[in-house]
Amino acid sequence: MKFIPYGKHHIDTDDIEAVIDVLKSGWLTQGPMVEILENAIASYVGAKYAVAVSSGTAALHIAALAAGIEPHETLLTSPITFVASANAGRYAGAKIAFADIDPETINISATAIESKLQSMDGIKIIVPVHFAGLPCDMERIGVLARQASAVVIEDAAHALGAIYPSGKRVGSCENSLMTIFSFHPVKAIAAGEGGLITTNDEAVYRKLLRLRGHGINKLDDALLQDEWAVENSLKNPWYYEMQELGFNYRITDIQCALAVSQFRKIDNFLERRKTLAKQYDNAFASQDVIKPAQVSGRDASGHHLYVLRADFGKAGTSRADFMRQLFSRGIGTQVHYIPVPAHPYYRGLGFIPEDYPEALKYYREALSIPFYYDLADDEQQNVISAMMELQN
């Protein structure tokens, strides 16, 4: 029996050849493929600048630092996300806060953000997470952030190719300072591991470049020690400066070659995922026990995940048993996500999952089912049939 996972990357001969070409080129890292990827993504989303890094988590980390967050300040994000969205603030020594989700979109609620901004001081960064690829209400979030003098960093790890109501792509930063993407294998395009940050702010771009590479000066950054740097009015050819504390968050040319090759297929990837999503919608829309978690925005989403909400009690089973029964039929599923405030680390900081009732209700009902480019129609039908049978 062929196993159907919940997510899977697509690799073809073009991808393999792209990696082989780099292996033959003499550039394994810090070579031309990095800039090729950066330029391709920046042009696609409509941003001025892009900085590729080793992972989406690295992107979130240095984005928070580039935004200037301080330990006494707070990063506000969604409770329904991967832990990296919140951890970015903790890496910088900052405080964390969560705003509950909108039950219709599973995205962070703009109304809940407004309430937090009114009740809390010191919110420096807002990180809206475009859950499963569906864009958040960025226009309203942008207004709220400007009113509160807060910085917006969009977590678009799920949302490469997604489109705002304005028609611009997620990543254009029309209502944010920065946007981050992930190139993890189950995302829209794969680099093995990898991430990227877009921005329209040149100063932020330059700081991101330094933070990616140990804090060492990049481009034509002004040198701070002329007596060490210059001799006879010429810069010493070996000279460089570590001007701030940075990290080794560089991405390799090998990874970027794969990502560039994958990116050339992005339209096909998105179209197939959209088709699969609509086919699932048609199958589950009229069901009583199992329903789609996101019922609108299919034409705008990046379609990273397909998530159902299920009343497992009404189905006469538990979610764990339901998942085990699907697994026994060769169908993989997952839960996205355990609410971040429920993790032991964040409980230790004083967070209580029950403080976010919509997130907790969603978590108890959530189930991600197989959803990826190579999922064949007959495999999808097998998933649907198994789900229908097991819920009755």
Side-chain angles (χ1 to χ4, degrees):
M1 179 173 57
K2 182 181 178 182
F3 186 74
I4 306 172
Y6 90 85
K8 184 181 178 183
H9 57 276
H10 168 88
I11 298 291
D12 61 20
T13 55
D14 290 338
D15 299 326
I16 295 168
E17 289 298 324
V19 172
I20 291 172
D21 287 345
V22 165
L23 293 174
K24 293 177 177 178
S25 73
W27 285 102
L28 298 186
T29 190
Q30 300 185 73
M33 291 308 302
V34 178
E35 188 172 352
I36 289 171
L37 175 63
E38 291 170 340
N39 290 340
I41 300 294
S43 176
Y44 176 73
V45 302
K48 289 183 180 179
Y49 308 105
V51 177
V53 292
S54 55
S55 69
T57 299
L60 283 162
H61 181 193
I62 64 172
L65 293 174
I69 196 164
E70 299 287 346
H72 65 278
E73 295 173 323
T74 298
L75 181 150
L76 174 67
T77 191
S78 171
I80 298 298
T81 182
F82 187 56
V83 294
S85 307
N87 289 353
R90 295 298 297 148
Y91 296 153
K95 302 173 185 177
I96 305 299
F98 300 98
D100 210 352
I101 63 168
D102 179 333
E104 298 300 317
T105 65
I106 320 303
N107 283 331
I108 191 170
S109 162
T111 299
I113 290 173
E114 183 174 22
S115 177
K116 286 287 182 179
L117 291 171
Q118 290 172 349
S119 63
M120 291 183 64
D121 293 327
I123 295 176
K124 169 75 173 187
I125 297 176
I126 301 171
V127 180
V129 179
H130 304 307
F131 181 78
L134 181 65
C136 296
D137 184 356
M138 289 307 305
E139 184 173 356
R140 186 176 175 198
I141 291 171
V143 169
L144 292 171
R146 288 189 291 274
Q147 291 172 346
S149 299
V151 169
V152 177
I153 300 171
E154 298 174 66
D155 184 338
H158 295 184
L160 182 62
I163 300 172
Y164 303 121
S166 67
K168 293 185 178 180
R169 292 194 186 277
V170 168
S172 60
C173 301
E174 65 175 352
N175 285 292
S176 64
L177 181 61
M178 287 172 272
T179 303
I180 76 95
F181 295 100
S182 170
F183 306 138
H184 183 275
V186 296
K187 300 301 197 305
I189 65 172
E193 286 281 0
L196 183 137
I197 310 151
T198 59
T199 186
N200 295 315
D201 187 301
E202 183 181 359
V204 166
Y205 169 63
R206 288 171 174 268
K207 188 171 183 66
L208 291 169
L209 290 176
R210 291 193 298 272
L211 290 169
R212 175 178 70 180
H214 298 281
I216 293 171
N217 62 296
K218 302 295 180 183
L219 303 177
D220 58 349
D221 289 347
L223 297 172
L224 304 181
Q225 299 182 141
D226 282 350
E227 69 277 16
W228 286 67
V230 176
E231 185 176 326
N232 297 325
S233 300
L234 294 174
K235 179 188 171 186
N236 291 322
W238 68 86
Y239 188 76
Y240 61 89
E241 292 179 345
M242 177 184 160
Q243 297 182 338
E244 58 188 307
L245 184 62
F247 305 87
N248 183 3
Y249 280 168
R250 295 187 299 259
I251 189 171
T252 69
D253 278 55
I254 299 169
Q255 293 165 294
C256 288
L258 176 56
V260 168
S261 179
Q262 290 262 297
F263 180 67
R264 293 179 180 134
K265 298 181 277 283
I266 186 68
D267 290 341
N268 290 338
F269 288 168
L270 292 170
E271 192 59 36
R272 177 58 181 162
R273 285 173 176 265
K274 185 188 298 183
T275 297
L276 290 169
K278 290 182 177 181
Q279 288 173 176
Y280 272 142
D281 285 348
N282 291 335
F284 296 119
S286 62
Q287 296 300 302
D288 183 41
V289 174
I290 296 175
K291 295 182 178 294
Q294 294 174 319
V295 295
S296 61
R298 290 300 181 206
D299 291 330
S301 179
H303 295 298
H304 167 53
L305 300 169
Y306 191 91
V307 185
L308 294 167
R309 298 187 70 157
D311 186 338
F312 294 102
K314 190 177 288 188
T317 186
S318 69
R319 177 168 56 189
D321 285 341
F322 196 85
M323 293 174 74
R324 291 187 188 103
Q325 291 183 66
L326 287 169
F327 187 84
S328 72
R329 296 171 183 234
I331 299 169
T333 54
Q334 187 54 277
V335 175
H336 295 92
Y337 293 95
I338 299 169
V340 180
H343 285 285
Y345 174 80
Y346 281 96
R347 285 180 186 265
L349 295 178
F351 291 99
I352 302 169
E354 287 75 15
D355 287 344
Y356 314 94
E358 293 295 350
L360 193 58
K361 184 175 189 297
Y362 159 79
Y363 164 67
R364 289 170 174 161
E365 299 173 348
L367 187 67
S368 298
I369 61 176
F371 190 61
Y372 50 94
Y373 175 75
D374 285 325
L375 182 66
D377 287 343
D378 62 331
E379 292 175 321
Q380 185 183 36
Q381 189 54 53
N382 287 343
V383 174
I384 293 168
S385 297
M387 298 287 295
M388 297 299 192
E389 182 180 336
L390 289 173
Q391 73 172 308
N392 296 319

